[in-house]
Amino acid sequence: MTEETFVPAASEWYYPSDEVVKNAYIQDYDAAYAEAMADTPAFWAKRAETLDWYQKWDKVLDDSNAPFYKWFVGGKTNIVLNALDRHIKTWRKNKLALIWEGEPGDKHTYSYWRLWQEVNKFANVLRSMGVKKGDRVTIYMGRIPELVIAMLATAKIGAVHSVVYGGFSEQALADRIEDAQSRVLVTCDGAWLRGNIVELKKIADQAVHKSPVVEHVVVVKRTGHDVHMQAGRDFWYHDLMALPIASTNSETEVMDAEDPLFILYTSGTTGKPKGILHTHGGYQVYTSTTLQWTFDIKDEDRWWCAADPGWITGHSYIVYAPLILGATGFMYEGAPNFPYPNRWWKLVEEYGITILYTAPTAIRGLMRFGDAWPKRHNLSSLRLLGSVGEPINPEAWKWYHSVIGGNKLPICDTWWMTETGGFMITPLPSVGLKPGSCTRPFPGIIADVVDDEGNSCPPGVEGKLVIKNPWPGMLRTVYGDPERMVKTYFSTYAKQGWYLAGDSARRDEDGYFWIIGRIDDVIKVSGYRLGTAEIESALVSHPSVAEAAVIGVPDEVRGNVIYAYCLPRAGVAISEELVDKLKQHVRDEIGPIAVPAKIEFVSVLPKTRSGKIMRRVLKARAMGMPEGDTSTLEE
Ligand code: WTA
């Protein structure tokens, strides 16, 4: 494909105003990049020096056991030391750390002082339950402040959090509890979504029934509906927080820079999700630097990252990085269009949001309701916009830029992954933009597009996206399965030691990156990352399905939707009712986000002679396109 077909005309490129450039932390990207590359460990050391450490590191980077890199070796810290403790010794203690609005319209604010106190109290509650350094705590909640408090309290005492997104079902939750071997689960009675209650406690009960490793369940009262509380196992959060044990005095555990901070499960090529592990030292340096430089966070800003804390975007850019920077963050509990499609724009206006960071799927969803909804609101507080999770299509880019950004705001399209901890390829506000490109690598990062042999692809030619050097925010391992980390990310280019992202991409003549999409069996649905193998194994776990194949098919709003092809077991009668049953079954096994838009029964699945399902053929058929090379196809 030639360049003209994917790079929009130069007349559509965007150049930041002098004011944006003048305000930016980094006014000259090329100079910053060159400086970082001249001596990368020294560059990261300089960034690390902006944070507090109990004890300074001996060595910035230990690459003796690559790809198991270690950063800030010998350093002692705790991410909570930087996210909270250090701020309450300054004027920042009075600054708002978190502004929150619930879907029904209730509001809460937390100053750094108050957030620090709540975290200390809950840290003591967790300690009183016997949670110690290195223990895992699973958190399964809606978007409420107590979720942030539970994460920080867990980190504070040196335990490891595993947040499971509230849209996952009981089986998905049970699997993740089991894998992490968490003895404590923190949840809430329910979450508000589109005026309805999502019964999280009920789902949690079923999950705990399946994975009895859980000894204690802490329940935040959010929706107030009746829930079952099992005596001796379940405790109300507010009761525990009122006990004398929940004092506001709580020591922050001194952690080694490489001690684990959290596990976050993400989908890959097999049915079993991977527990991506991040640590205290490198992650705090990487997330805070990337947020500060990319979104130019200043003290007077009101930052809204509209993701869910249950995903990496929320971990890095709702919870940790903004707090480390002493910023004021905003969080909203519910659906963007509840009760009307102007809810987000009303929130931007009411809270004076200055920087909004969201996903293309959300933009497309809101765009669908028309311009009148945002136009009713004064959005002039906004100064920067951001996007993440999937490629942003030109139409959505234009709408976001013109209707939300008043024809003047830049859109920072950030490419990164759960595994990378923070932004990898992203514009800085002072950089010229081409709609649809995530521009160039963050200073300190060497990204490339290569062919199967590892040669750099010429401009315009599609290839595999790789990262050629280590960075402080990179994953440390796959929890409990270090081999899988090597195999998944570092075996394709083992000789060169490069990290394989799993995306295909192109670069243009100016070195700008254009992400095309996943090359493995991962599908992005509404920005959520799902594995075809997970959905297929959910389908075949139903007694009526013998075999299943799942593909992602492009969708205007959601990026992709799931189509499933099922081979019924002998004697199974096919009906509409069965389709509904299977949809419900996937909902129970994984969650509503994984439910196929379409389930079709087939008498045969296209396979290679070695028995591998050719999803490519199914996809071509579903989209009415040529099937390509089918020479390996079995009869
Ligand atoms: C995709 C989300 C295009 C990509 C932070 C990647 C993107 C996967 C972008 C990781 C972007 C993320 N443009 N594609 N700006 N950002 N992706 O782990 O396919 O949920 O591999 O992390 O999302 O998804 P994950």
Side-chain angles (χ1 to χ4, degrees), residues 78 122-137 153-161 181-184 215 253-255 259-261 280:
N78 185 310
F122 196 57
N124 284 329
V125 166
L126 289 174
R127 279 194 178 112
S128 76
M129 293 180 146
V131 181
K132 299 180 308 297
K133 182 173 175 174
D135 289 351
R136 279 78 53 211
V137 173
T154 305
K156 180 163 184 127
I157 65 171
V160 180
H161 56 71
Q181 290 288 299
S182 300
R183 288 188 298 110
V184 173
E215 289 163 18
E253 194 75 30
V254 176
M255 304 299 281
D259 277 336
L261 167 63
H280 280 260

mmCIF file of all heavy atoms in Angstrom, residues 78 122-137 153-161 181-184 215 253-255 259-261 280:
data_model
loop_
_atom_site.group_PDB
_atom_site.id
_atom_site.type_symbol
_atom_site.label_atom_id
_atom_site.label_comp_id
_atom_site.label_asym_id
_atom_site.label_seq_id
_atom_site.Cartn_x
_atom_site.Cartn_y
_atom_site.Cartn_z
ATOM 1 N N ASN A 78 8.138 3.103 47.848
ATOM 2 C CA ASN A 78 6.792 2.540 47.792
ATOM 3 C C ASN A 78 6.032 3.540 46.940
ATOM 4 O O ASN A 78 6.172 4.755 47.146
ATOM 5 C CB ASN A 78 6.173 2.416 49.188
ATOM 6 C CG ASN A 78 4.822 1.719 49.154
ATOM 7 O OD1 ASN A 78 3.943 2.073 48.363
ATOM 8 N ND2 ASN A 78 4.632 0.736 50.010
ATOM 9 N N PHE A 122 -7.783 2.101 55.766
ATOM 10 C CA PHE A 122 -8.067 0.811 55.135
ATOM 11 C C PHE A 122 -6.831 -0.091 55.119
ATOM 12 O O PHE A 122 -6.943 -1.317 55.203
ATOM 13 C CB PHE A 122 -8.643 0.996 53.722
ATOM 14 C CG PHE A 122 -9.288 -0.263 53.212
ATOM 15 C CD1 PHE A 122 -10.321 -0.875 53.928
ATOM 16 C CD2 PHE A 122 -8.854 -0.877 52.060
ATOM 17 C CE1 PHE A 122 -10.910 -2.063 53.484
ATOM 18 C CE2 PHE A 122 -9.430 -2.064 51.599
ATOM 19 C CZ PHE A 122 -10.456 -2.653 52.320
ATOM 20 N N ALA A 123 -5.661 0.532 55.071
ATOM 21 C CA ALA A 123 -4.425 -0.256 55.160
ATOM 22 C C ALA A 123 -4.403 -0.996 56.493
ATOM 23 O O ALA A 123 -4.062 -2.186 56.563
ATOM 24 C CB ALA A 123 -3.213 0.661 55.035
ATOM 25 N N ASN A 124 -4.809 -0.305 57.550
ATOM 26 C CA ASN A 124 -4.837 -0.956 58.871
ATOM 27 C C ASN A 124 -5.900 -2.044 58.938
ATOM 28 O O ASN A 124 -5.702 -3.065 59.592
ATOM 29 C CB ASN A 124 -5.056 0.098 59.967
ATOM 30 C CG ASN A 124 -3.780 0.883 60.231
ATOM 31 O OD1 ASN A 124 -2.671 0.341 60.084
ATOM 32 N ND2 ASN A 124 -3.921 2.146 60.594
ATOM 33 N N VAL A 125 -7.019 -1.815 58.266
ATOM 34 C CA VAL A 125 -8.063 -2.849 58.215
ATOM 35 C C VAL A 125 -7.504 -4.104 57.537
ATOM 36 O O VAL A 125 -7.652 -5.221 58.040
ATOM 37 C CB VAL A 125 -9.317 -2.338 57.461
ATOM 38 C CG1 VAL A 125 -10.255 -3.482 57.114
ATOM 39 C CG2 VAL A 125 -10.037 -1.277 58.284
ATOM 40 N N LEU A 126 -6.836 -3.904 56.412
ATOM 41 C CA LEU A 126 -6.274 -5.058 55.692
ATOM 42 C C LEU A 126 -5.239 -5.777 56.560
ATOM 43 O O LEU A 126 -5.211 -6.999 56.648
ATOM 44 C CB LEU A 126 -5.633 -4.611 54.373
ATOM 45 C CG LEU A 126 -6.596 -4.171 53.265
ATOM 46 C CD1 LEU A 126 -5.807 -3.614 52.072
ATOM 47 C CD2 LEU A 126 -7.489 -5.329 52.796
ATOM 48 N N ARG A 127 -4.404 -4.999 57.222
ATOM 49 C CA ARG A 127 -3.404 -5.614 58.116
ATOM 50 C C ARG A 127 -4.093 -6.442 59.191
ATOM 51 O O ARG A 127 -3.643 -7.537 59.524
ATOM 52 C CB ARG A 127 -2.555 -4.531 58.779
ATOM 53 C CG ARG A 127 -1.439 -4.010 57.889
ATOM 54 C CD ARG A 127 -0.440 -3.189 58.733
ATOM 55 N NE ARG A 127 0.668 -2.726 57.913
ATOM 56 C CZ ARG A 127 0.891 -1.440 57.597
ATOM 57 N NH1 ARG A 127 0.084 -0.495 58.039
ATOM 58 N NH2 ARG A 127 1.929 -1.111 56.854
ATOM 59 N N SER A 128 -5.189 -5.904 59.720
ATOM 60 C CA SER A 128 -5.876 -6.614 60.807
ATOM 61 C C SER A 128 -6.481 -7.926 60.312
ATOM 62 O O SER A 128 -6.790 -8.815 61.096
ATOM 63 C CB SER A 128 -6.966 -5.729 61.421
ATOM 64 O OG SER A 128 -8.087 -5.685 60.557
ATOM 65 N N MET A 129 -6.655 -8.031 59.010
ATOM 66 C CA MET A 129 -7.161 -9.291 58.446
ATOM 67 C C MET A 129 -6.020 -10.240 58.116
ATOM 68 O O MET A 129 -6.233 -11.284 57.503
ATOM 69 C CB MET A 129 -7.955 -9.007 57.168
ATOM 70 C CG MET A 129 -9.223 -8.239 57.445
ATOM 71 S SD MET A 129 -10.114 -7.932 55.923
ATOM 72 C CE MET A 129 -11.782 -8.041 56.582
ATOM 73 N N GLY A 130 -4.839 -9.833 58.476
ATOM 74 C CA GLY A 130 -3.689 -10.714 58.269
ATOM 75 C C GLY A 130 -3.025 -10.560 56.913
ATOM 76 O O GLY A 130 -2.177 -11.377 56.542
ATOM 77 N N VAL A 131 -3.390 -9.515 56.167
ATOM 78 C CA VAL A 131 -2.750 -9.322 54.861
ATOM 79 C C VAL A 131 -1.341 -8.757 55.080
ATOM 80 O O VAL A 131 -1.168 -7.762 55.778
ATOM 81 C CB VAL A 131 -3.568 -8.352 53.966
ATOM 82 C CG1 VAL A 131 -2.892 -8.186 52.611
ATOM 83 C CG2 VAL A 131 -4.990 -8.847 53.802
ATOM 84 N N LYS A 132 -0.368 -9.412 54.487
ATOM 85 C CA LYS A 132 1.025 -9.017 54.676
ATOM 86 C C LYS A 132 1.677 -8.698 53.332
ATOM 87 O O LYS A 132 1.121 -8.977 52.269
ATOM 88 C CB LYS A 132 1.816 -10.165 55.325
ATOM 89 C CG LYS A 132 1.325 -10.584 56.700
ATOM 90 C CD LYS A 132 2.159 -11.717 57.264
ATOM 91 C CE LYS A 132 2.331 -12.914 56.349
ATOM 92 N NZ LYS A 132 1.090 -13.637 56.012
ATOM 93 N N LYS A 133 2.882 -8.151 53.445
ATOM 94 C CA LYS A 133 3.703 -7.870 52.252
ATOM 95 C C LYS A 133 3.738 -9.087 51.334
ATOM 96 O O LYS A 133 3.963 -10.204 51.799
ATOM 97 C CB LYS A 133 5.119 -7.548 52.738
ATOM 98 C CG LYS A 133 6.089 -7.190 51.656
ATOM 99 C CD LYS A 133 7.395 -6.723 52.302
ATOM 100 C CE LYS A 133 8.438 -6.475 51.201
ATOM 101 N NZ LYS A 133 9.653 -5.881 51.770
ATOM 102 N N GLY A 134 3.469 -8.881 50.079
ATOM 103 C CA GLY A 134 3.532 -9.972 49.102
ATOM 104 C C GLY A 134 2.224 -10.724 48.909
ATOM 105 O O GLY A 134 2.032 -11.396 47.898
ATOM 106 N N ASP A 135 1.273 -10.604 49.866
ATOM 107 C CA ASP A 135 -0.033 -11.272 49.705
ATOM 108 C C ASP A 135 -0.826 -10.587 48.593
ATOM 109 O O ASP A 135 -0.664 -9.397 48.350
ATOM 110 C CB ASP A 135 -0.855 -11.169 51.003
ATOM 111 C CG ASP A 135 -0.287 -12.045 52.101
ATOM 112 O OD1 ASP A 135 0.620 -12.854 51.812
ATOM 113 O OD2 ASP A 135 -0.747 -11.899 53.257
ATOM 114 N N ARG A 136 -1.707 -11.349 47.966
ATOM 115 C CA ARG A 136 -2.540 -10.771 46.915
ATOM 116 C C ARG A 136 -3.940 -10.432 47.425
ATOM 117 O O ARG A 136 -4.533 -11.208 48.178
ATOM 118 C CB ARG A 136 -2.662 -11.716 45.711
ATOM 119 C CG ARG A 136 -1.473 -11.656 44.760
ATOM 120 C CD ARG A 136 -0.260 -12.405 45.239
ATOM 121 N NE ARG A 136 -0.607 -13.782 45.568
ATOM 122 C CZ ARG A 136 -0.014 -14.498 46.502
ATOM 123 N NH1 ARG A 136 0.974 -13.993 47.215
ATOM 124 N NH2 ARG A 136 -0.403 -15.728 46.761
ATOM 125 N N VAL A 137 -4.440 -9.283 46.985
ATOM 126 C CA VAL A 137 -5.797 -8.846 47.332
ATOM 127 C C VAL A 137 -6.541 -8.619 46.013
ATOM 128 O O VAL A 137 -6.069 -7.864 45.168
ATOM 129 C CB VAL A 137 -5.757 -7.532 48.145
ATOM 130 C CG1 VAL A 137 -7.160 -6.970 48.357
ATOM 131 C CG2 VAL A 137 -5.045 -7.743 49.480
ATOM 132 N N ALA A 153 -4.326 1.313 49.483
ATOM 133 C CA ALA A 153 -4.109 0.709 50.799
ATOM 134 C C ALA A 153 -3.357 -0.611 50.654
ATOM 135 O O ALA A 153 -2.467 -0.929 51.450
ATOM 136 C CB ALA A 153 -5.449 0.496 51.504
ATOM 137 N N THR A 154 -3.703 -1.365 49.627
ATOM 138 C CA THR A 154 -3.019 -2.630 49.375
ATOM 139 C C THR A 154 -1.545 -2.377 49.077
ATOM 140 O O THR A 154 -0.651 -3.030 49.638
ATOM 141 C CB THR A 154 -3.680 -3.363 48.184
ATOM 142 O OG1 THR A 154 -5.078 -3.509 48.458
ATOM 143 C CG2 THR A 154 -3.075 -4.728 47.959
ATOM 144 N N ALA A 155 -1.292 -1.398 48.213
ATOM 145 C CA ALA A 155 0.098 -1.070 47.859
ATOM 146 C C ALA A 155 0.860 -0.561 49.077
ATOM 147 O O ALA A 155 2.029 -0.872 49.272
ATOM 148 C CB ALA A 155 0.114 -0.025 46.748
ATOM 149 N N LYS A 156 0.166 0.209 49.891
ATOM 150 C CA LYS A 156 0.819 0.813 51.054
ATOM 151 C C LYS A 156 1.410 -0.232 51.993
ATOM 152 O O LYS A 156 2.497 -0.051 52.537
ATOM 153 C CB LYS A 156 -0.192 1.679 51.806
ATOM 154 C CG LYS A 156 0.423 2.329 53.023
ATOM 155 C CD LYS A 156 -0.380 3.487 53.546
ATOM 156 C CE LYS A 156 0.397 4.099 54.690
ATOM 157 N NZ LYS A 156 0.604 5.532 54.547
ATOM 158 N N ILE A 157 0.687 -1.333 52.172
ATOM 159 C CA ILE A 157 1.177 -2.360 53.098
ATOM 160 C C ILE A 157 2.048 -3.397 52.378
ATOM 161 O O ILE A 157 2.417 -4.415 52.949
ATOM 162 C CB ILE A 157 0.034 -3.047 53.869
ATOM 163 C CG1 ILE A 157 -0.881 -3.836 52.921
ATOM 164 C CG2 ILE A 157 -0.782 -2.017 54.637
ATOM 165 C CD1 ILE A 157 -1.886 -4.704 53.667
ATOM 166 N N GLY A 158 2.356 -3.121 51.128
ATOM 167 C CA GLY A 158 3.271 -4.009 50.405
ATOM 168 C C GLY A 158 2.606 -5.239 49.827
ATOM 169 O O GLY A 158 3.277 -6.128 49.313
ATOM 170 N N ALA A 159 1.263 -5.284 49.900
ATOM 171 C CA ALA A 159 0.553 -6.405 49.277
ATOM 172 C C ALA A 159 0.365 -6.081 47.787
ATOM 173 O O ALA A 159 0.670 -4.982 47.330
ATOM 174 C CB ALA A 159 -0.779 -6.631 49.962
ATOM 175 N N VAL A 160 -0.133 -7.057 47.045
ATOM 176 C CA VAL A 160 -0.204 -6.945 45.589
ATOM 177 C C VAL A 160 -1.674 -6.925 45.180
ATOM 178 O O VAL A 160 -2.411 -7.851 45.515
ATOM 179 C CB VAL A 160 0.483 -8.184 44.952
ATOM 180 C CG1 VAL A 160 0.438 -8.112 43.431
ATOM 181 C CG2 VAL A 160 1.918 -8.305 45.449
ATOM 182 N N HIS A 161 -2.111 -5.874 44.491
ATOM 183 C CA HIS A 161 -3.530 -5.900 44.114
ATOM 184 C C HIS A 161 -3.745 -6.518 42.747
ATOM 185 O O HIS A 161 -2.906 -6.433 41.853
ATOM 186 C CB HIS A 161 -4.231 -4.547 44.248
ATOM 187 C CG HIS A 161 -3.637 -3.404 43.501
ATOM 188 N ND1 HIS A 161 -3.697 -3.301 42.142
ATOM 189 C CD2 HIS A 161 -3.005 -2.285 43.943
ATOM 190 C CE1 HIS A 161 -3.132 -2.167 41.771
ATOM 191 N NE2 HIS A 161 -2.683 -1.532 42.841
ATOM 192 N N GLN A 181 -4.409 -16.542 43.998
ATOM 193 C CA GLN A 181 -4.514 -17.084 45.361
ATOM 194 C C GLN A 181 -4.733 -15.948 46.381
ATOM 195 O O GLN A 181 -4.001 -15.814 47.360
ATOM 196 C CB GLN A 181 -3.260 -17.904 45.706
ATOM 197 C CG GLN A 181 -3.170 -19.215 44.930
ATOM 198 C CD GLN A 181 -4.207 -20.233 45.437
ATOM 199 O OE1 GLN A 181 -4.198 -20.636 46.596
ATOM 200 N NE2 GLN A 181 -5.132 -20.625 44.569
ATOM 201 N N SER A 182 -5.773 -15.169 46.139
ATOM 202 C CA SER A 182 -6.095 -14.055 47.043
ATOM 203 C C SER A 182 -6.946 -14.554 48.197
ATOM 204 O O SER A 182 -7.982 -15.171 47.960
ATOM 205 C CB SER A 182 -6.889 -12.975 46.303
ATOM 206 O OG SER A 182 -6.160 -12.465 45.233
ATOM 207 N N ARG A 183 -6.551 -14.215 49.404
ATOM 208 C CA ARG A 183 -7.363 -14.604 50.560
ATOM 209 C C ARG A 183 -8.395 -13.535 50.903
ATOM 210 O O ARG A 183 -9.330 -13.780 51.644
ATOM 211 C CB ARG A 183 -6.470 -14.899 51.761
ATOM 212 C CG ARG A 183 -5.685 -16.215 51.587
ATOM 213 C CD ARG A 183 -4.956 -16.607 52.841
ATOM 214 N NE ARG A 183 -3.966 -15.598 53.211
ATOM 215 C CZ ARG A 183 -4.059 -14.795 54.270
ATOM 216 N NH1 ARG A 183 -5.062 -14.894 55.087
ATOM 217 N NH2 ARG A 183 -3.126 -13.903 54.513
ATOM 218 N N VAL A 184 -8.182 -12.329 50.375
ATOM 219 C CA VAL A 184 -9.130 -11.245 50.652
ATOM 220 C C VAL A 184 -9.668 -10.697 49.332
ATOM 221 O O VAL A 184 -8.920 -10.508 48.379
ATOM 222 C CB VAL A 184 -8.448 -10.123 51.471
ATOM 223 C CG1 VAL A 184 -9.370 -8.917 51.608
ATOM 224 C CG2 VAL A 184 -8.023 -10.636 52.843
ATOM 225 N N GLU A 215 -10.878 -15.924 52.166
ATOM 226 C CA GLU A 215 -11.308 -16.065 53.565
ATOM 227 C C GLU A 215 -12.192 -14.905 54.003
ATOM 228 O O GLU A 215 -13.082 -15.074 54.813
ATOM 229 C CB GLU A 215 -10.076 -16.138 54.479
ATOM 230 C CG GLU A 215 -9.324 -17.453 54.335
ATOM 231 C CD GLU A 215 -7.911 -17.395 54.909
ATOM 232 O OE1 GLU A 215 -7.622 -16.484 55.711
ATOM 233 O OE2 GLU A 215 -7.106 -18.270 54.538
ATOM 234 N N GLU A 253 4.906 0.530 53.972
ATOM 235 C CA GLU A 253 5.897 -0.549 53.910
ATOM 236 C C GLU A 253 7.061 -0.138 52.992
ATOM 237 O O GLU A 253 6.836 0.347 51.879
ATOM 238 C CB GLU A 253 5.206 -1.796 53.344
ATOM 239 C CG GLU A 253 5.959 -3.072 53.516
ATOM 240 C CD GLU A 253 5.926 -3.638 54.939
ATOM 241 O OE1 GLU A 253 4.925 -3.412 55.668
ATOM 242 O OE2 GLU A 253 6.914 -4.292 55.311
ATOM 243 N N VAL A 254 8.265 -0.328 53.467
ATOM 244 C CA VAL A 254 9.435 -0.023 52.632
ATOM 245 C C VAL A 254 9.633 -1.170 51.649
ATOM 246 O O VAL A 254 9.820 -2.311 52.041
ATOM 247 C CB VAL A 254 10.697 0.161 53.502
ATOM 248 C CG1 VAL A 254 11.931 0.379 52.621
ATOM 249 C CG2 VAL A 254 10.499 1.329 54.461
ATOM 250 N N MET A 255 9.541 -0.843 50.363
ATOM 251 C CA MET A 255 9.602 -1.885 49.335
ATOM 252 C C MET A 255 10.874 -1.762 48.513
ATOM 253 O O MET A 255 11.372 -0.662 48.282
ATOM 254 C CB MET A 255 8.405 -1.754 48.373
ATOM 255 C CG MET A 255 7.038 -1.792 49.033
ATOM 256 S SD MET A 255 6.696 -3.320 49.895
ATOM 257 C CE MET A 255 6.268 -4.387 48.516
ATOM 258 N N ASP A 259 9.998 -4.972 43.949
ATOM 259 C CA ASP A 259 8.914 -5.740 44.575
ATOM 260 C C ASP A 259 7.619 -5.529 43.794
ATOM 261 O O ASP A 259 7.347 -4.425 43.314
ATOM 262 C CB ASP A 259 8.713 -5.300 46.032
ATOM 263 C CG ASP A 259 9.681 -5.982 46.980
ATOM 264 O OD1 ASP A 259 10.175 -7.081 46.641
ATOM 265 O OD2 ASP A 259 9.952 -5.412 48.063
ATOM 266 N N PRO A 260 6.779 -6.577 43.694
ATOM 267 C CA PRO A 260 5.552 -6.441 42.910
ATOM 268 C C PRO A 260 4.562 -5.444 43.509
ATOM 269 O O PRO A 260 4.403 -5.364 44.726
ATOM 270 C CB PRO A 260 4.956 -7.856 42.922
ATOM 271 C CG PRO A 260 5.720 -8.638 43.918
ATOM 272 C CD PRO A 260 7.014 -7.933 44.183
ATOM 273 N N LEU A 261 3.923 -4.702 42.620
ATOM 274 C CA LEU A 261 2.888 -3.742 43.009
ATOM 275 C C LEU A 261 1.507 -4.283 42.660
ATOM 276 O O LEU A 261 0.590 -4.250 43.468
ATOM 277 C CB LEU A 261 3.135 -2.421 42.270
ATOM 278 C CG LEU A 261 2.019 -1.384 42.293
ATOM 279 C CD1 LEU A 261 1.745 -0.901 43.713
ATOM 280 C CD2 LEU A 261 2.368 -0.182 41.397
ATOM 281 N N HIS A 280 6.967 -1.637 41.982
ATOM 282 C CA HIS A 280 6.879 -0.282 42.552
ATOM 283 C C HIS A 280 7.793 0.745 41.884
ATOM 284 O O HIS A 280 7.361 1.835 41.538
ATOM 285 C CB HIS A 280 7.230 -0.328 44.047
ATOM 286 C CG HIS A 280 6.101 -0.781 44.902
ATOM 287 N ND1 HIS A 280 5.297 0.067 45.605
ATOM 288 C CD2 HIS A 280 5.636 -2.025 45.170
ATOM 289 C CE1 HIS A 280 4.381 -0.612 46.280
ATOM 290 N NE2 HIS A 280 4.567 -1.898 46.026
#
